[in-house]
Amino acid sequence: MKNKIRATEAALDMAIDWYPQAEKHETPKLYPGNQGRRAVVIHIAEGSYEAAVRWLQDAQLNPNSSAHFVIAKDARVAQLVSVNDGAWANGLRWNVDASQPNGGYWTNGRGVRVNPSWPDIVPGQNPNFYTISIEHEGYYQETWTPEMYAANNELLVWIAEQFDIWWVPYRSLIGHYAIDNVDRPNCPGPTVNFVKMAADANTTRILKMVVPQTGTKHVYGTTALLSLPTNTIISYLRDVDTEVYGYLDYRGKRWYITPYSFNNKQPYFFEAASTVPTPALFPSLSLNPGYRDSVTPSAGELRDLAPQWVRVLLFAQYQNFNTGQNTELDWLLDRVKQAKPNMQVLALVNPETLGEIPPPTGSANWSAYITKASNLAQKVAQFYRGKISALEVWNEPDVQQILPENYAALLSAAYPKIKAVNPDLPVISAGICCGEGFEYLRRVVAAAPNAFDFAGWHIYAERADGFPSANWGFGEIRNSINQARAIAGKPLWITEIGAQLDYDWGNLPPPQAVADYMNRAFAIMNDVGRNQVAQAFWFTWRIAGESWGMVDDVGTKRPAWFMFQELAKNAPQPPTGIAEITNVMLTPTTLDTGQVLNVSITVRNGTNATIPTQAPSPGLVYNEGETFLSRGYAEVNGAYRVGIDFDGRTGIDHPYRWGLGSALAPNETRTITGQIRLNKAAVKNYWAGLVQEQIAWKQDNVGKTLITVKQPTTPPPTGNPTILAVSFAPQTVQAGQLLNVSITVRNDTNVALATQGPNPGFTYLEGESFRSHGFTEQRDAFRVGVDFEGRTGIDHPYRWGFGSALNPGETRVINGAIRLNKVGTKKYWAGLVREQVAWLQDNQGATNITVSSGTPPPPTGKPIITVVQFSPTSLEQGQIVQVKVTVKNDSSQTLTTQGPDAGFLYNEGDNFLTKGFAPISGAWRIGVDYDGRSSVDPNIYPYRWSLGGSLAPGQSAVIVGFVRLNRRQSVDYWAGLIQEANNVIVDRAGVTRINVVKA
Ligand SMILES: [Zn+2]
């Protein structure tokens, strides 16, 4: 509860009061503050925009009502009340009446009783406190203009971003009628489609969150293409190479979107986890509940069957509720160990374990039952830490007739208790019966989305790709898995799948048919990939007197027994051994604030399988306080990373994580390095861990090292360094030419003077600074700097280090250059700085420098464009065309460049000037121009992009840019190469006809 309040406050802190696109028409008619934002209420004004704004704003004219927003048919937006305050638009009055279901009833402004259909209204609290209202120009029978709809859409996106709301029609996005069904049944009227409005706003918002990063991804097995944020299944991708436009980090996962979905504004994404290769599925065995040898193979038989896992139900009569010990589980663990040392056990806790059946739905005893059940799960997890390998919380709650929300509450209570005592133990949600229970699963996931690591799922009487016959059973295994996986949002554990002789197998001999079914079912589960089905348990070894099982009542092996054995034998062996950290080095152990802690972690893959990894690559430098999430490297299911954690950490576990660079082969050892810039003085322990993301911490607390970070205490030197001479030459330069700077420094102190970059000889372009080149100040480093008359912005923007430490008594000449572009005369001078401590000297060698107009001499040879590609060449209005240009520097000079960066998106009609990228004389850019442009935009090559960085002689660069085309047109576009300002060196390269049709 405390966290919830804090989260709400944080959201409110972040909300900007006023919509930047709105005309402000502030009204005093408001309630200060709010009680959360449960919905936006859509209204129709029944009049003009001007009349509505006046009526709702003016407290004299109308003392009774207001609204947050009014939108006009021509897309103007007025805002009258801050979104953090309550407007007077959706008000109802609560009348206390103990005879009513909620202890009262609602009346509207006229005092007439109303029955709000909005399910999220809070009995007793005026909806004005927790809703935002939007009025719209016009009358309720009218269809909204496209302009008003678009303006409303943009406003909904902005509100959603302020409060992090995803629009749900009739819940968080409602009409006034849903509050006052008596006097406002036609507000906003029958033409308003809330489903479409919510979907459009959610789509606009989510597509804005996509980070462009084109590439090709391979999907391993099967994965769902989901429409976010609703998680609606659109279709499935299966074993394909897929082009991606970019990615989205959303709800703790990375998702990819294809160029097609992005360009067509379809919010269809698939999980990045499906692009990680997974090992083959290895069959496991689900034991029938019962006593010892009656349901469990002997150690020898277990060895012969060789399941990877065994699943077992715990019974109350063997259960110690104080310690968590279960003597039957001890017996089983012992047998499993005798059979095969690396065989793993999934323990199942259920009412049989508790010795108490769940109370009926609606019972007041539920919360006590949940407490008992979750405490028991915790005890078992604690006692069997390191002995069992997974824990399943409850079994087939649907068959037990437990309401999904009641089961979800039990799971939500158990999960944190289990993790508190055994953080690495995977928690499996209850297997839901029996292949088609999608709605039950959906409700569990909705109510407890973060309370399981894998979703339990059972499959019975589902066809194995049409086997044994087309109309047999309830559905297809493949469909069952794919749907359940998409709903769960996490890989499934099929904790039971089985078949019995008594099924109708048609003409097939039942024992052989069951074996065949097992073979086909495992083939399908293997085929869909471990990202869909992470484990699968065949039910069962034996049930006395029934036609289930691999052996009959007298222990004779059925064909299913041999099939299981063969499947286990043929499956690639599951990883043996472990991946582990073999060495950790954290250096230095004492450092000054602002310095970096070097992290070096050696990982050895002692298993027989290649282990996958993910971003970020080794070498990434974190700043203290950042996390892998804040840097955009969300967990990819199953990938291995190393991470660093520290004493007193709040927030995300092991916030500094690095990938392994690339997959680690069996027996391979690799050292992963990274850095953390520590900015706060403190003494604490740091240590390393190895994680398989979203599955388990394989190791933790490795290499614990006490790190001391202190404020720098460099003893002040005696004496001072001195500038002996300064020269600026020439004193008259042509625009585009270099001003050479020479500063002579002598170290008159008794210590060597530390320094930093850039080194002597570095050339600045006018307008740049040491910071824009990444040479930010390092405390105590000595540098010389040049400042000039009329400078705004950073002090002494042109700075140079000494190249290396300057020894006591040593004199050194520091040279540098500045390429001047702006015509005029001004004074330049030099100074000497001890960074972040003091300027030791300034105003040395002040000299007037005159810059005359003139163009830089042309390079010998010319840069050229070798490839131009526009795609697509046919698109709809509002879609984006990509241009890809290859530039080769065939000149003898290095080409400097300037922004915007490659990848920058222009909207049609924008140009480099309107986007704030005025030419820097001498810099090179690529540009795009088109036929008929002069009647639209007087600027040649209005769309320009950087070369990505300075281009040395002989080098090539590929530059990608984007333009959103909004006009219908059929026009030739081409690329060019420009030396700023506006000197077109290559013109009309790659002329391509682009057709833009009506959206
Ligand atoms: Zn209304």
Side-chain angles (χ1 to χ4, degrees), residues 825-890:
T825 299
K826 54 189 163 188
K827 196 165 280 177
Y828 284 75
W829 61 86
L832 175 64
V833 66
R834 184 177 174 194
E835 294 289 0
Q836 296 185 337
V837 178
W839 281 91
L840 303 175
Q841 267 182 297
D842 199 8
N843 295 307
Q844 301 295 304
T847 305
N848 274 318
I849 304 294
T850 300
V851 181
S852 64
S853 61
T855 46
T860 63
K862 268 176 36 171
I864 55 170
I865 288 180
T866 55
V867 182
V868 177
Q869 201 178 44
F870 289 92
S871 66
T873 54
S874 289
L875 52 160
E876 290 180 358
Q877 286 172 273
Q879 293 186 335
I880 293 171
V881 66
Q882 173 190 278
V883 59
K884 201 168 171 181
V885 178
T886 306
V887 175
K888 181 157 188 290
N889 183 2
D890 275 345

Side-chain angles (χ1 to χ4, degrees), residues 42-44 89 135 176 184 187:
I42 301 293
H43 297 261
I44 188 76
E135 287 279 0
H176 194 182
R184 295 290 183 270
C187 186

Side-chain angles (χ1 to χ4, degrees), residues 92 107 242 282 287 299 324 332 346 373 457 543 657 666 697 705 758 772 806 845 946 966:
L92 291 181
T107 50
T242 264
F282 197 100
L287 299 178
L332 183 85
L346 164 64
W457 189 246
I543 303 182
R657 299 189 192 177
W697 281 91
T705 307
S772 68
L806 192 66
S946 150
N966 298 316

Side-chain angles (χ1 to χ4, degrees), residues 1 25 27 49 83 94 206 269 378 392 411 648 665 669 803 823 905:
M1 194 59 195
H25 292 268
T27 178
Y49 172 77
V83 291
W94 181 254
I206 212 159
F269 293 84
Q378 180 179 42
E392 185 175 2
L411 186 61
T669 297
V823 173
L905 171 66

Side-chain angles (χ1 to χ4, degrees), residues 53-98:
V53 171
R54 194 165 57 243
W55 175 251
L56 295 166
Q57 182 188 18
D58 190 330
Q60 309 300 320
L61 190 66
N62 157 29
N64 299 319
S65 63
S66 65
H68 287 94
F69 297 98
V70 183
I71 304 183
K73 288 179 175 177
D74 64 4
R76 278 173 296 162
V77 180
Q79 185 173 2
L80 288 67
V81 175
S82 157
V83 291
N84 293 314
D85 293 329
W88 299 351
N90 315 316
L92 291 181
R93 181 192 157 88
W94 181 254
N95 304 272
V96 175
D97 178 348

Side-chain angles (χ1 to χ4, degrees), residues 756-993:
Q756 64 162 107
N759 284 333
F762 189 82
T763 299
Y764 287 99
L765 286 177
E766 184 167 15
E768 294 180 338
S769 75
F770 60 94
R771 280 198 197 147
S772 68
H773 278 282
F775 298 110
T776 49
E777 301 92 326
Q778 294 173 12
R779 193 183 166 93
D780 283 324
F782 288 82
R783 286 198 285 199
V784 293
V786 165
D787 210 349
F788 55 87
E789 219 177 335
R791 186 252 315 144
T792 57
I794 191 162
D795 194 15
H796 293 72
Y798 311 118
R799 300 188 192 178
W800 293 268
F802 301 162
S804 62
L806 192 66
N807 291 317
E810 187 184 349
T811 299
R812 200 176 293 167
V813 179
I814 315 302
N815 292 314
I818 309 164
R819 192 177 298 282
L820 297 178
N821 297 307
K822 290 196 195 108
V823 173
T825 299
K826 54 189 163 188
K827 196 165 280 177
Y828 284 75
W829 61 86
L832 175 64
V833 66
R834 184 177 174 194
E835 294 289 0
Q836 296 185 337
V837 178
W839 281 91
L840 303 175
Q841 267 182 297
D842 199 8
N843 295 307
Q844 301 295 304
T847 305
N848 274 318
I849 304 294
T850 300
V851 181
S852 64
S853 61
T855 46
T860 63
K862 268 176 36 171
I864 55 170
I865 288 180
T866 55
V867 182
V868 177
Q869 201 178 44
F870 289 92
S871 66
T873 54
S874 289
L875 52 160
E876 290 180 358
Q877 286 172 273
Q879 293 186 335
I880 293 171
V881 66
Q882 173 190 278
V883 59
K884 201 168 171 181
V885 178
T886 306
V887 175
K888 181 157 188 290
N889 183 2
D890 275 345
S891 79
S892 58
Q893 296 191 347
T894 294
L895 308 184
T896 61
T897 188
Q898 65 161 114
D901 286 341
F904 186 82
L905 171 66
Y906 286 97
N907 276 311
E908 182 163 27
D910 288 343
N911 61 48
F912 56 94
L913 293 173
T914 63
K915 302 310 282 184
F917 297 101
I920 297 173
S921 182
W924 293 74
R925 290 196 280 202
I926 64 144
V928 164
D929 208 345
Y930 55 95
D931 265 343
R933 186 256 312 139
S934 57
S935 61
V936 179
D937 187 339
N939 296 287
I940 59 164
Y941 286 97
Y943 311 123
R944 299 186 189 180
W945 293 270
S946 150
L947 305 183
S950 292
L951 201 60
Q955 268 191 338
S956 291
V958 180
I959 300 101
V960 174
F962 298 98
V963 184
R964 189 190 299 282
L965 296 178
N966 298 316
R967 292 181 305 141
R968 290 162 68 177
Q969 56 194 289
S970 179
V971 166
D972 284 345
Y973 280 73
W974 58 84
L977 182 65
I978 298 129
Q979 186 176 26
E980 300 293 1
N982 297 323
N983 191 6
V984 179
I985 303 300
V986 180
D987 196 13
R988 296 186 69 88
V991 177
T992 303
R993 176 66 53 93

